[in-house]
């Protein structure tokens, strides 16, 4: 089963496809990042400047300021520089076109949607990330979408550090008739998730999505706890958790990248969801994340509604950054 493979690459029956036709175009969601890209990049293509090294230096500065990051920027600039030297790019339009293509090329390897193989039941998704990144919200949206695709989903309240976190997950579950396994706040997270996995197995659930804490008394304490959770789930099924999905707040720019590196070192992540791209001008961080981590970007979050969790599409994303404002 392909999750959110809907829209372009759907494999699920039409009736279970829930991305509503009223979904806003992505460029309408990425207005701030788009303004950063357009103001910084496109506008100076209009100025009839000569296509030369000086222009490339300006472009380099703009990409850095748009949070694209050093490595991704260098890659883009060096290819542009070679193309200019070969005279295969001689006007602003060609340069603009090549720039978009190079930016898409950086993201393309990360366009790997989450697939749930029919052979694995329950498929366990462990969701990690710092407090406030959007884990619980992303879980809620994902669970609802899966349920709409006739998938039996169970949620597990593994963020036992904060009482409100358990309640937040329970309320998502109650609203959408999705079962939630929870214990009292302060319970051992690994034990809660172990029990939830056994329960999901006994009830023949298709998917178990496990929430986790984003902060403990110390950061090393958090990493140790998450490693323990991973190990303990592996006792029921050595392949579990089948997906370790890190949720990153795209609005935190460089911090999000640093967190992802740290979590990946500790847990060997298998996918990323980058949230809050609607409210930020720092969406360029996605290029940095793609270049540095080369992990599948499963989803992007562009708002608080269920339909605001989107399957990541590299070309759609870059097109949205360069599209003309509609009003
Ligand atoms: N604008 C916007 N807000 C989001 C998005 N994802 C999550 N949020 C909000 O971010 C806040 C923190 O989310 P939460 O799921 O509780 O984070 P957690 O601590 O990682 O579980 C909540 O107010 C969410 O509604 C998104 O894609 N866009
Ligand atoms: Mg939470």
């Amino acid at each position: 089963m392909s999750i959110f493979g809907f829209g372009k690459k759907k494999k699920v029956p039409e009736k279970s496809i829930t991305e509503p036709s009223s979904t806003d175009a992505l460029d309408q969601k990425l207005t701030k990042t788009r303004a950063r890209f357009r103001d910084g990049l496109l506008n100076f293509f209009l100025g009839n400047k000569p296509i030369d090294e000086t222009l490339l230096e300006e472009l380099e500065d703009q990409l850095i300021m748009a949070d694209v990051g050093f490595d991704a920027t260098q890659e883009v600039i060096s290819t542009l520089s070679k193309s200019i030297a070969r005279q295969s790019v001689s006007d602003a339009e060609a340069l603009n076109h090549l720039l978009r293509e190079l930016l898409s090329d950086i993201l393309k390897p990360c366009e790997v949607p989450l697939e749930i193989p029919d052979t694995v039941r329950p498929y366990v998704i462990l969701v990690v990330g710092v407090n406030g990144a959007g884990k619980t919200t992303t879980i809620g949206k994902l669970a609802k979408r899966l349920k709409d695709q006739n998938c039996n989903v169970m949620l597990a309240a593994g963020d036992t550090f904060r009482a409100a976190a358990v309640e937040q997950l329970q309320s998502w579950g109650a609203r959408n008739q999705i079962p939630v396994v929870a214990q009292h706040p302060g319970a051992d997270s690994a034990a809660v998730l172990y029990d939830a996995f056994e329960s999901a197995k006994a009830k023949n659930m298709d998917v178990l999505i496990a929430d986790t804490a984003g902060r403990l008394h110390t950061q090393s304490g958090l990493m140790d706890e998450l490693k323990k959770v991973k190990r303990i789930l592996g006792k029921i099924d050595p392949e579990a958790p089948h997906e370790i999905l890190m949720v990153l707040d795209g609005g935190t720019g460089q911090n999000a990248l640093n967190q992802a590196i740290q979590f990946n070192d500790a847990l060997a992540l298998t996918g990323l969801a980058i949230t809050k791209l609607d409210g930020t001008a720092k969406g360029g961080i996605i290029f940095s994340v793609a270049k540095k981590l080369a992990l599948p970007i499963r989803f992007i979050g562009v708002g608080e509604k269920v339909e605001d969790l989107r399957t990541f599409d590299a070309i759609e994303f870059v097109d949205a950054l360069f599209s003309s404002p509609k009003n």
Side-chain angles (χ1 to χ4, degrees):
M1 176 187 295
S2 152
I3 306 177
F4 304 23
F6 38 55
K8 293 166 210 85
K9 316 163 200 110
K10 54 194 171 240
K11 286 188 196 152
V12 287
E14 196 77 40
K15 69 175 169 47
S16 65
I17 294 165
T18 54
E19 189 144 32
S21 49
S22 64
T23 299
D24 292 321
L26 191 57
D27 58 352
Q28 295 301 307
K29 294 290 192 170
L30 299 178
T31 45
K32 290 191 181 159
T33 300
R34 187 186 64 186
R36 178 78 60 93
F37 272 74
R38 279 190 65 85
D39 296 350
L41 301 173
L42 267 193
N43 288 347
F44 84 86
F45 289 131
L46 303 175
N48 279 334
K49 296 181 188 171
I51 309 286
D52 58 12
E53 287 301 318
T54 314
L55 184 109
L56 280 190
E57 271 173 32
E58 270 181 59
L59 182 55
E60 182 174 0
D61 293 349
Q62 293 296 340
L63 288 171
I64 294 286
M65 285 190 281
D67 287 287
V68 170
F70 184 76
D71 294 344
T73 298
Q74 288 312 307
E75 181 177 308
V76 168
I77 295 297
S78 104
T79 310
L80 288 178
S81 174
K82 283 180 208 143
S83 303
I84 291 171
R86 278 199 316 267
Q87 294 180 332
S88 59
V89 171
S90 52
D91 60 22
E93 197 188 319
L95 182 64
N96 179 14
H97 186 84
L98 183 57
L99 173 63
R100 285 167 71 150
E101 200 174 289
L102 294 173
L103 287 170
S104 302
D105 287 350
I106 291 170
L107 298 182
K108 200 77 192 162
C110 300
E111 185 191 291
V112 186
L114 183 59
E115 300 266 343
I116 298 186
D118 293 335
T119 45
V120 182
R121 289 294 177 269
Y123 188 86
V124 180
I125 303 172
L126 183 68
V127 180
V128 301
V130 304
N131 262 1
K135 291 181 295 300
T136 309
T137 313
T138 299
I139 290 170
K141 293 169 178 172
L142 179 56
K144 170 79 170 88
R145 292 296 187 85
L146 283 167
K147 189 171 175 193
D148 289 345
Q149 294 188 6
N150 296 323
C151 191
N152 286 319
V153 192
M154 181 183 270
L155 305 181
D159 183 355
T160 53
F161 193 67
R162 297 186 297 173
V166 176
E167 286 159 21
Q168 192 188 353
L169 200 67
Q170 281 170 327
S171 95
W172 266 102
R175 247 181 293 153
N176 300 298
Q177 292 90 47
I178 293 168
V180 179
V181 174
Q183 288 179 25
H184 58 92
D188 180 58
S189 177
V192 174
L193 297 181
Y194 184 87
D195 287 355
F197 193 1
E198 291 217 301
S199 169
K201 214 177 157 111
K203 293 184 172 135
N204 288 320
M205 288 288 162
D206 296 316
V207 178
L208 173 71
I209 312 180
D211 199 3
T212 60
R215 186 174 63 84
L216 285 183
H217 301 289
T218 64
Q219 193 67 5
S220 63
L222 175 62
M223 290 304 151
D224 287 344
E225 170 155 312
L226 292 173
K227 282 188 205 164
K228 182 169 87 174
V229 163
K230 183 177 170 184
R231 203 169 57 238
I232 281 184
L233 292 172
K235 290 196 192 298
I236 298 179
D237 172 356
E239 302 292 313
H242 307 95
E243 170 84 355
I244 305 181
L245 181 72
M246 179 164 191
V247 178
L248 294 173
D249 176 347
T252 62
Q254 186 67 35
N255 272 345
L257 174 64
N258 294 339
Q259 285 157 13
I261 292 169
Q262 191 193 2
F263 275 70
N264 192 38
D265 287 346
L267 298 167
L269 304 173
T270 58
L272 301 173
I274 305 180
T275 62
K276 306 195 200 180
L277 290 170
D278 50 317
T280 182
K282 296 188 177 178
I285 193 67
I286 200 164
F287 297 98
S288 238
V289 168
K291 191 76 201 145
K292 263 260 158 24
L293 287 155
L295 282 167
I297 299 172
R298 308 295 197 186
F299 307 106
I300 55 171
V302 291
E304 309 213 22
K305 290 187 287 200
V306 170
E307 63 268 27
D308 292 331
L309 187 68
R310 309 269 175 100
T311 305
F312 176 62
D313 181 314
I315 291 179
E316 184 193 18
F317 192 86
V318 172
D319 282 350
L321 295 185
F322 286 87
S323 84
S324 320
K326 304 221 169 28
N327 41 42

